[in-house]
């Protein structure tokens, strides 16, 4: 009897906002709505909240970057991100981290990490602290969302009414920790366009005999510039037993489609030619492979030198060296594909930004329905940009709800 009364009271309560998904964007949005005094409920399908925050950055959460602009994002229209990124900036989030006394460091390329192993939990604690007083229900399966005057959300344990519904269920990456395509399904239900989602920031795989040498180098890493038709990144690459990974490869994976070539500059912009020519003068009897092994990991050098390998430097004409370096600077590779959602850090594609108000993330077609975070067709580079997008889009949404 008392359970029925509880169900009834939950049914008739109309929330100002119901947030679906207690990840980075959902929790941050809930905290902001609490500050505005909005009656808010968070519904999460998994038993735990903020799981991706906890595993992010190797457990240290790369929570933002010192340099953030819409140019660090891709999607159909990256400029869409401008307004939210300006409304709530990286500096704003850093300020919150400082106020919470969370120690942090810049690792590389402006990437800010919590300064201790397991420290990602500090970020989650900061977010949950801000949600104090807001009910976060976990293990909730949403069976339907309908809109009449208010939104009606149906779950096996009861119905909830809300003036605004915020979809913060992220993308499809890492299904084993609860990632779903829920946001895309809801968008489609309401006639909102979704740009084809696919795995991004993901290791690349190579197949066929032609690429056996790539897998034979498993464990080798070096700095390189990796390019596609539209982007270029200078960071580390790592050969794996399936193909290639490392930051530069993850970055470029977001910019290629199946079957497209990538180009590796193994010199990483250094003047290898000058160094080899100078070695040729000083040590003419040194073999070419030994010379290249001083500039690249020796296993990689052995694979790359080809016929020139055992030749002494004095026997090589300068143009042979120049031609070799030219090839080394734009080495074409065609991945067979990538390791998919099981290994992808993010999902690219998603809710078409033409469908949303860029100041508030509200659907133009369905007033009161909002999408925030990774489910939108705005995908950040590796380096703290995806969390910054989660914070900024969540803030813009909370700010837009009156
Ligand atoms: C291994 C890994 C490491 C990463 N490291 C970094 C990093 O260091 N820096 C960075 O910027 N980005 C990083 N990312 C990316 C970053 O975690 C995401 O971009 C960010 O979490 C997106 O926030 P979100 O709130 O949109 O989605 P999420 O954080 O994924 O939250 C979505 C929430 O919705 C819940 N949910 C899903 N479906 C339903 C449903 N049907 N009903 C109710 N709830 C549902 C999920 O369980 C989850 O709690 C990493 C990602 C991975 C996988």
């Amino acid at each position: 009897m008392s359970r029925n009364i509880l169900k009834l009271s939950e049914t008739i309560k109309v929330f100002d906002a119901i947030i679906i998904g207690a990840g980075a964007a959902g929790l941050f949005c809930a905290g902001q709505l609490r500050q505005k005094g909005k009656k808010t409920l968070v519904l999460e399908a998994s038993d735990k909240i903020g799981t991706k925050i906890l595993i992010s950055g190797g457990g240290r959460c790369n929570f933002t970057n010192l340099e953030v602009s819409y140019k660090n994002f891709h999607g159909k229209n990256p400029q869409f991100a401008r307004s939210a990124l300006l409304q709530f900036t990286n500096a704003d989030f850093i300020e919150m981290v400082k106020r919470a006394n969370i120690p942090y460091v810049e690792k590389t390329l402006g990437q800010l990490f919590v300064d201790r192993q397991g420290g990602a939990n500090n970020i989650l604690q900061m977010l949950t602290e801000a949600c104090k007083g807001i009910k976060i229900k976990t293990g909730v399966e949403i069976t339907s969302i309908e809109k009449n005057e208010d939104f009606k959300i149906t779950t096996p344990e009861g119905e909830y009414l809300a003036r605004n519904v915020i979809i913060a269920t992220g993308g499809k990456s890492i299904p084993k920790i609860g990632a779903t395509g829920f946001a895309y399904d809801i968008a489609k239900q309401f006639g909102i366009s979704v740009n084809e989602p696919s795995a991004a920031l993901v290791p690349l795989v190579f197949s066929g005999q032609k690429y056996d040498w790539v897998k034979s180098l498993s464990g080798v890493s070096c700095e390189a510039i990796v390019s596609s038709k539209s982007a270029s990144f200078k960071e580390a690459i790592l050969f794996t037993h399936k193909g290639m990974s490392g930051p530069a490869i993850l970055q470029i994976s977001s910019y290629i489609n199946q079957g497209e070539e990538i180009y590796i500059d193994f010199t990483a912009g250094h003047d290898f030619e000058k160094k080899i020519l100078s070695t040729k003068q000083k040590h003419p009897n040194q073999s070419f492979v030994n010379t290249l092994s001083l500039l690249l990991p020796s296993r990689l050098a052995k694979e790359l030198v080809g016929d020139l390998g055992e030749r002494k430097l004095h026997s090589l004409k300068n143009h042979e060296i120049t031609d070799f370096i030219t090839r080394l600077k734009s080495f074409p590779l065609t991945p067979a594909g990538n390791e998919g959602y099981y290994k992808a850090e993010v999902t690219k594609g998603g809710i078409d930004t033409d469908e949303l108000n860029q100041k508030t993330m509200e659907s133009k077609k369905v007033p009161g329905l909002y999408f925030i975070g990774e489910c939108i067709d705005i995908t950040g580079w590796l380096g703290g940009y995806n969390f910054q997008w989660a914070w900024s889009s969540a803030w813009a949404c909370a700010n837009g709800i009156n």
Side-chain angles (χ1 to χ4, degrees):
M1 180 67 182
S2 60
R3 279 184 70 180
N4 286 343
I5 292 168
L6 180 69
K7 272 189 190 171
L8 187 64
S9 66
E10 284 187 344
T11 304
I12 54 174
K13 189 168 169 186
V14 181
F15 290 92
D16 291 321
I18 292 183
I19 299 172
I20 303 181
L27 289 172
F28 190 64
C29 190
Q32 297 308 311
L33 287 172
R34 172 185 171 250
Q35 273 191 25
K36 290 179 75 175
K38 298 292 173 197
K39 209 185 323 162
T40 304
L41 173 70
V42 183
L43 300 176
E44 163 62 47
S46 311
D47 294 334
K48 295 190 182 123
I49 63 168
T51 312
K52 272 196 193 161
I53 298 172
L54 293 178
I55 62 167
S56 67
R60 290 178 54 190
C61 187
N62 178 195
F63 56 83
T64 192
N65 196 289
L66 288 174
E67 298 288 332
V68 178
S69 107
Y70 73 92
K71 291 179 184 155
N72 304 114
F73 295 84
H74 56 91
K76 186 174 132 187
N77 175 20
Q79 296 228 25
F80 172 88
R82 268 180 117 142
S83 171
L85 292 172
L86 287 173
Q87 287 183 64
F88 185 82
T89 66
N90 52 347
D92 292 325
F93 196 79
I94 294 167
E95 192 50 41
M96 292 177 84
V97 170
K98 280 186 186 158
R99 273 206 308 272
N101 289 319
I102 300 173
Y104 66 89
V105 280
E106 179 191 352
K107 247 189 170 180
T108 175
L109 300 170
Q111 301 168 4
L112 300 186
F113 286 76
V114 180
D115 189 18
R116 69 172 91 98
Q117 197 56 34
N121 193 37
N122 294 8
I123 299 291
L124 182 56
Q125 267 177 10
M126 179 183 86
L127 298 177
T128 45
E129 191 74 14
C131 293
K132 249 188 189 156
I134 287 183
K135 181 95 184 144
I136 301 174
K137 285 182 166 251
T138 54
V140 178
E141 185 201 339
I142 314 277
T143 40
S144 71
I145 302 180
E146 291 161 58
K147 183 166 190 202
N148 297 307
E149 197 183 326
D150 293 317
F151 288 92
K152 183 171 85 177
I153 297 183
T154 307
T155 74
E157 61 181 55
E159 291 170 352
Y160 302 96
L161 297 177
R163 289 188 196 92
N164 300 287
V165 168
I166 300 158
I167 309 291
T169 49
K172 289 183 170 181
S173 311
I174 324 281
K176 69 172 185 241
I177 58 164
T180 69
F182 182 80
Y184 316 130
D185 297 340
I186 292 299
K188 285 176 194 159
Q189 178 200 321
F190 283 101
I192 294 167
S193 317
V194 175
N195 299 329
E196 188 59 27
S198 61
L201 296 181
V202 62
L204 299 176
V205 295
F206 290 84
S207 64
Q209 269 185 349
K210 188 180 166 198
Y211 286 118
D212 280 351
W213 68 273
V214 170
K215 288 177 251 176
S216 76
L217 288 172
S218 178
V220 170
S221 69
C222 66
E223 196 188 32
I225 300 171
V226 183
S227 308
S228 69
K229 279 185 287 190
S230 58
S232 195
F233 295 93
K234 180 179 171 180
E235 282 184 72
I237 60 171
L238 168 71
F239 290 87
T240 71
H241 65 287
K242 287 187 180 165
M244 295 178 83
S245 186
I249 295 292
L250 298 183
Q251 300 276 35
I252 214 66
S253 73
S254 302
Y255 286 88
I256 54 168
N257 295 315
Q258 179 87 19
E260 280 180 16
E261 259 183 350
I262 59 169
Y263 299 88
I264 315 255
D265 176 354
F266 286 106
T267 72
H270 300 292
D271 196 343
F272 276 21
E273 191 174 347
K274 192 170 160 195
K275 286 179 184 161
I276 295 173
L277 290 175
S278 130
T279 310
K280 184 182 170 187
Q281 282 197 333
K282 288 184 208 147
H283 308 287
N285 284 324
Q286 187 165 293
S287 71
F288 188 62
V289 66
N290 286 348
T291 310
L292 196 65
S293 294
L294 298 172
L295 302 169
L296 288 173
S298 58
R299 279 170 66 199
L300 176 60
K302 276 184 195 133
E303 283 299 337
L304 295 174
V305 283
D307 296 344
L308 303 184
E310 292 312 317
R311 294 199 23 208
K312 307 277 185 222
L313 290 177
H314 69 76
S315 77
L316 287 168
K317 301 218 163 44
N318 285 4
H319 78 80
E320 286 180 287
I321 295 171
T322 308
D323 289 350
F324 176 82
I325 298 299
T326 304
R327 287 198 302 278
L328 203 65
K329 286 170 92 160
S330 188
F331 199 96
L333 292 168
T334 309
N338 62 52
E339 291 195 38
Y341 288 123
Y342 282 86
K343 279 286 174 75
E345 260 192 33
V346 286
T347 303
K348 67 176 177 178
I351 314 303
D352 192 323
T353 47
D354 285 351
E355 298 274 7
L356 305 177
N357 176 330
Q358 63 178 350
K359 288 204 177 88
T360 62
M361 309 296 129
E362 186 176 20
S363 158
K364 291 177 185 168
K365 281 190 188 129
V366 189
L369 180 63
Y370 295 75
F371 293 86
I372 58 174
E374 195 180 309
C375 66
I376 302 177
D377 182 12
I378 289 289
T379 308
W381 290 359
L382 190 79
Y385 300 101
N386 286 296
F387 277 135
Q388 186 59 47
W389 174 243
W391 320 136
S392 295
S393 57
W395 197 93
C397 165
N399 193 41
I401 288 179
N402 294 310

